[in-house]
Coordinates of all heavy atoms in Angstrom, one line a residue:
E404 N -203.9 43.5 103.7 CA -204.2 42.1 104.2 C -203.5 41.1 103.3 O -203.4 41.2 102.1 CB -205.8 41.9 103.9 CG -206.3 40.6 104.5 CD -207.8 40.4 104.3 OE1 -208.4 41.4 104.0 OE2 -208.2 39.2 104.2
L405 N -202.9 40.2 104.0 CA -202.0 39.1 103.3 C -202.9 38.1 102.6 O -204.1 37.9 103.0 CB -201.0 38.4 104.3 CG -200.0 39.2 104.9 CD1 -199.3 38.5 105.9 CD2 -199.1 40.0 103.9
S406 N -202.4 37.4 101.6 CA -203.2 36.4 100.8 C -203.4 35.1 101.8 O -202.9 34.9 102.8 CB -202.4 36.0 99.6 OG -201.1 35.5 100.0
E407 N -204.4 34.3 101.3 CA -205.0 33.3 102.0 C -203.8 32.3 102.4 O -203.7 31.7 103.5 CB -206.1 32.5 101.4 CG -207.3 33.2 101.3 CD -208.4 32.5 100.6 OE1 -208.3 31.2 100.6 OE2 -209.5 33.1 100.3
D408 N -202.9 31.9 101.4 CA -201.9 31.0 101.6 C -200.9 31.5 102.7 O -200.4 30.7 103.6 CB -201.1 30.5 100.4 CG -200.5 31.8 99.6 OD1 -201.0 32.8 99.9 OD2 -199.6 31.6 98.9
K409 N -200.6 32.8 102.8 CA -199.7 33.4 103.7 C -200.3 33.4 105.1 O -199.8 33.1 106.2 CB -199.2 34.8 103.3 CG -198.4 34.8 102.0 CD -197.8 36.1 101.6 CE -196.8 36.0 100.6 NZ -195.5 35.3 101.0
Q410 N -201.6 33.7 105.1 CA -202.4 33.6 106.4 C -202.3 32.3 107.0 O -202.2 32.2 108.3 CB -203.9 34.0 106.1 CG -204.1 35.3 105.5 CD -204.6 36.3 106.4 OE1 -204.7 36.1 107.6 NE2 -204.7 37.6 106.0
K411 N -202.4 31.3 106.2 CA -202.6 29.9 106.6 C -201.1 29.5 107.3 O -201.0 28.9 108.4 CB -202.8 28.9 105.6 CG -203.0 27.5 106.0 CD -203.3 26.5 104.8 CE -203.3 25.1 105.2 NZ -203.7 24.3 104.0
R412 N -200.1 29.9 106.5 CA -198.7 29.5 107.0 C -198.4 30.2 108.4 O -197.8 29.7 109.2 CB -197.7 29.7 105.9 CG -197.6 28.6 104.8 CD -196.4 28.8 104.0 NE -196.6 30.0 103.1 CZ -197.1 29.9 101.8 NH1 -197.6 28.9 101.4 NH2 -197.1 31.0 101.1
L413 N -198.7 31.5 108.5 CA -198.4 32.2 109.6 C -199.3 31.6 110.8 O -198.8 31.6 112.0 CB -198.7 33.7 109.4 CG -197.7 34.3 108.5 CD1 -198.3 35.8 108.2 CD2 -196.4 34.5 109.2
A414 N -200.5 31.3 110.6 CA -201.4 30.7 111.6 C -200.8 29.5 112.1 O -200.9 29.1 113.3 CB -202.8 30.7 111.1
E415 N -200.5 28.6 111.2 CA -199.9 27.3 111.5 C -198.7 27.4 112.5 O -198.4 26.6 113.3 CB -199.5 26.5 110.3 CG -200.7 25.9 109.5 CD -200.4 25.3 108.2 OE1 -199.2 25.4 107.7 OE2 -201.2 24.7 107.6
K416 N -197.9 28.5 112.3 CA -196.7 28.6 113.1 C -197.1 29.5 114.3 O -196.2 29.7 115.2 CB -195.6 29.3 112.3 CG -195.0 28.5 111.2 CD -193.8 29.2 110.6 CE -193.2 28.2 109.5 NZ -192.5 27.1 110.2
G417 N -198.2 29.8 114.6 CA -198.7 30.6 115.8 C -198.1 31.9 115.9 O -197.8 32.4 116.9
I418 N -197.9 32.6 114.8 CA -197.3 33.9 114.8 C -198.4 35.0 115.3 O -199.5 35.0 114.8 CB -196.7 34.3 113.4 CG1 -195.8 33.3 112.9 CG2 -196.1 35.7 113.4 CD1 -194.5 33.1 113.6
E419 N -197.9 35.8 116.3 CA -198.8 36.8 116.9 C -198.3 38.2 116.2 O -197.3 38.3 115.6 CB -198.7 36.9 118.3 CG -199.2 35.5 118.9 CD -200.7 35.2 118.8 OE1 -201.4 36.3 118.5 OE2 -201.2 34.2 118.6
S420 N -199.0 39.3 116.6 CA -198.7 40.6 116.1 C -197.3 41.0 116.7 O -197.0 40.7 117.9 CB -199.6 41.6 116.7 OG -201.0 41.3 116.2
R421 N -196.6 41.6 115.8 CA -195.1 41.9 116.2 C -194.4 42.8 115.2 O -194.9 42.9 114.1 CB -194.4 40.5 116.3 CG -194.4 39.7 115.1 CD -193.5 38.6 115.1 NE -192.1 39.0 115.0 CZ -191.1 38.3 115.4 NH1 -191.2 36.9 115.6 NH2 -189.9 38.7 115.4
P422 N -193.4 43.6 115.5 CA -192.7 44.3 114.5 C -192.0 43.4 113.5 O -191.6 42.3 113.8 CB -191.6 45.1 115.4 CG -192.0 45.0 116.7 CD -192.8 43.7 116.8
V423 N -191.9 43.7 112.2 CA -191.3 43.0 111.1 C -190.6 43.8 110.1 O -190.9 45.1 110.1 CB -192.3 42.1 110.5 CG1 -193.0 41.1 111.2 CG2 -193.5 43.0 109.8
T424 N -189.7 43.2 109.4 CA -189.3 43.8 108.2 C -190.1 43.2 107.0 O -190.2 42.1 106.9 CB -187.7 43.4 108.0 OG1 -186.9 43.9 109.0 CG2 -187.2 44.0 106.7
V425 N -190.6 44.1 106.3 CA -191.6 43.7 105.2 C -190.7 43.7 103.9 O -190.0 44.7 103.6 CB -192.7 44.7 105.0 CG1 -193.6 44.2 103.9 CG2 -193.4 44.7 106.3
G426 N -190.7 42.6 103.1 CA -190.0 42.5 101.9 C -191.0 42.3 100.7 O -192.1 41.6 100.8
A427 N -190.7 43.0 99.6 CA -191.4 42.9 98.4 C -190.4 43.1 97.2 O -189.6 44.1 97.1 CB -192.4 44.0 98.3
R428 N -190.5 42.2 96.3 CA -189.7 42.2 95.0 C -190.1 43.3 94.1 O -191.3 43.6 94.1 CB -189.6 40.9 94.3 CG -188.9 39.7 95.2 CD -188.6 38.6 94.3 NE -188.0 37.5 95.1 CZ -186.7 37.6 95.6 NH1 -185.9 38.5 95.3 NH2 -186.3 36.6 96.4
P429 N -189.2 43.9 93.3 CA -189.7 45.0 92.4 C -190.7 44.7 91.5 O -191.6 45.5 91.2 CB -188.3 45.3 91.7 CG -187.2 44.9 92.6 CD -187.7 43.7 93.3
E430 N -190.8 43.3 91.1 CA -191.8 43.0 90.1 C -193.2 42.7 90.8 O -194.2 42.6 90.2 CB -191.4 41.8 89.3 CG -190.9 40.6 90.1 CD -189.3 40.7 90.3 OE1 -188.8 41.7 90.9 OE2 -188.7 39.7 90.0
H431 N -193.1 42.8 92.1 CA -194.4 42.5 93.0 C -194.9 43.8 93.6 O -195.7 43.7 94.5 CB -194.1 41.4 94.1 CG -193.7 40.1 93.5 ND1 -192.8 39.2 94.1 CD2 -194.1 39.5 92.3 CE1 -192.7 38.2 93.4 NE2 -193.4 38.3 92.3
I432 N -194.4 45.0 93.1 CA -195.0 46.3 93.5 C -195.8 46.8 92.3 O -195.2 46.8 91.2 CB -193.8 47.2 94.0 CG1 -193.1 46.6 95.1 CG2 -194.2 48.5 94.3 CD1 -192.0 47.4 95.7
T433 N -196.9 47.3 92.6 CA -197.7 47.7 91.5 C -198.1 49.3 91.7 O -198.1 49.7 92.9 CB -199.0 46.9 91.3 OG1 -199.9 47.2 92.4 CG2 -198.5 45.5 91.3
L434 N -198.7 49.9 90.6 CA -199.0 51.2 90.8 C -200.6 51.3 90.9 O -201.3 52.3 90.9 CB -198.7 52.1 89.5 CG -197.2 52.2 89.2 CD1 -196.9 53.0 88.0 CD2 -196.5 52.7 90.5
E435 N -201.3 50.1 91.0 CA -202.7 49.9 91.1 C -203.1 50.6 92.3 O -202.6 50.5 93.5 CB -203.0 48.5 91.2 CG -204.5 48.2 91.3 CD -204.8 46.7 91.4 OE1 -203.8 45.9 91.4 OE2 -206.0 46.3 91.6
K436 N -204.3 51.4 92.4 CA -204.7 52.2 93.4 C -205.6 51.2 94.4 O -206.6 50.6 94.0 CB -205.7 53.4 92.9 CG -205.0 54.3 92.0 CD -203.8 55.1 92.7 CE -203.1 56.0 91.7 NZ -201.9 56.7 92.5
V437 N -205.1 51.0 95.6 CA -206.0 50.4 96.7 C -206.1 51.1 97.8 O -205.1 51.6 98.4 CB -205.1 49.0 97.0 CG1 -205.9 48.2 98.1 CG2 -204.9 48.2 95.7
E438 N -207.3 51.5 98.1 CA -207.6 52.3 99.3 C -207.0 51.9 100.7 O -207.3 50.7 101.0 CB -209.2 52.5 99.4 CG -209.5 53.6 100.4 CD -211.1 53.7 100.5 OE1 -211.8 53.2 99.7 OE2 -211.4 54.4 101.5
G439 N -206.3 52.7 101.3 CA -205.6 52.5 102.5 C -204.4 51.6 102.5 O -203.8 51.3 103.4
A440 N -203.9 51.3 101.2 CA -202.8 50.4 101.2 C -201.8 51.1 100.2 O -200.9 50.4 99.7 CB -203.2 49.1 100.5
M441 N -201.7 52.4 100.1 CA -200.8 53.1 99.2 C -199.6 53.7 99.9 O -199.7 54.2 101.1 CB -201.5 54.3 98.3 CG -202.7 53.7 97.6 SD -202.3 52.3 96.4 CE -201.3 53.2 95.3
L442 N -198.5 53.6 99.2 CA -197.2 54.3 99.7 C -196.7 55.3 98.7 O -197.0 55.2 97.6 CB -196.2 53.2 100.0 CG -196.4 52.0 101.0 CD1 -195.7 50.9 100.7 CD2 -196.1 52.6 102.4
D443 N -195.9 56.3 99.2 CA -195.5 57.3 98.4 C -194.0 57.1 98.2 O -193.3 56.9 99.1 CB -195.8 58.7 99.0 CG -197.3 59.0 98.9 OD1 -198.0 58.3 98.0 OD2 -197.8 59.9 99.6
G444 N -193.5 57.5 97.0 CA -192.1 57.7 96.8 C -191.8 58.7 95.7 O -192.5 59.0 94.8
V445 N -190.5 59.3 95.8 CA -190.1 60.3 94.9 C -189.3 59.8 93.8 O -188.2 59.0 94.3 CB -189.4 61.4 95.6 CG1 -189.0 62.5 94.7 CG2 -190.5 62.2 96.6
V446 N -189.4 59.9 92.6 CA -188.7 59.4 91.5 C -187.2 60.0 91.5 O -187.1 61.2 91.5 CB -189.3 59.6 90.2 CG1 -188.4 58.9 89.1 CG2 -190.7 58.9 90.1
E447 N -186.2 59.1 91.6 CA -184.8 59.7 91.5 C -184.3 59.2 90.2 O -183.3 60.0 89.7 CB -184.0 59.1 92.7 CG -184.6 59.7 94.0 CD -183.6 59.3 95.2 OE1 -183.0 58.2 95.1 OE2 -183.5 60.1 96.1
V448 N -184.5 58.0 89.7 CA -184.0 57.5 88.5 C -185.1 56.8 87.7 O -185.8 55.9 88.5 CB -182.8 56.5 88.7 CG1 -182.2 56.0 87.3 CG2 -181.6 57.3 89.5
S449 N -185.1 56.8 86.4 CA -186.1 56.2 85.7 C -185.3 55.5 84.5 O -184.8 56.2 83.7 CB -187.2 57.0 85.1 OG -188.0 56.3 84.2

């Protein structure tokens, strides 16, 4: 679920359901456990 400010901006533009490219900066990705919102990746370089 997107944050309130993002909800507001998308609603103001009248955006409906659609395919998208999702962007997230490396510093905005966390290892915090959130039910139903987790993705998996295999470590290649640390």
Side-chain angles (χ1 to χ4, degrees):
E404 182 179 341
L405 297 177
S406 61
E407 286 186 18
D408 57 334
K409 292 184 176 292
Q410 301 265 358
K411 183 180 178 182
R412 281 191 287 270
L413 290 169
E415 286 173 350
K416 290 185 175 290
I418 305 296
E419 297 296 331
S420 299
R421 52 173 297 168
V423 292
T424 297
V425 180
R428 297 198 181 278
E430 50 269 60
H431 298 149
I432 297 179
T433 71
L434 304 182
E435 181 184 355
K436 302 294 181 185
V437 180
E438 187 177 348
M441 302 306 292
L442 297 154
D443 291 342
V445 177
V446 178
E447 292 187 327
V448 178
S449 176

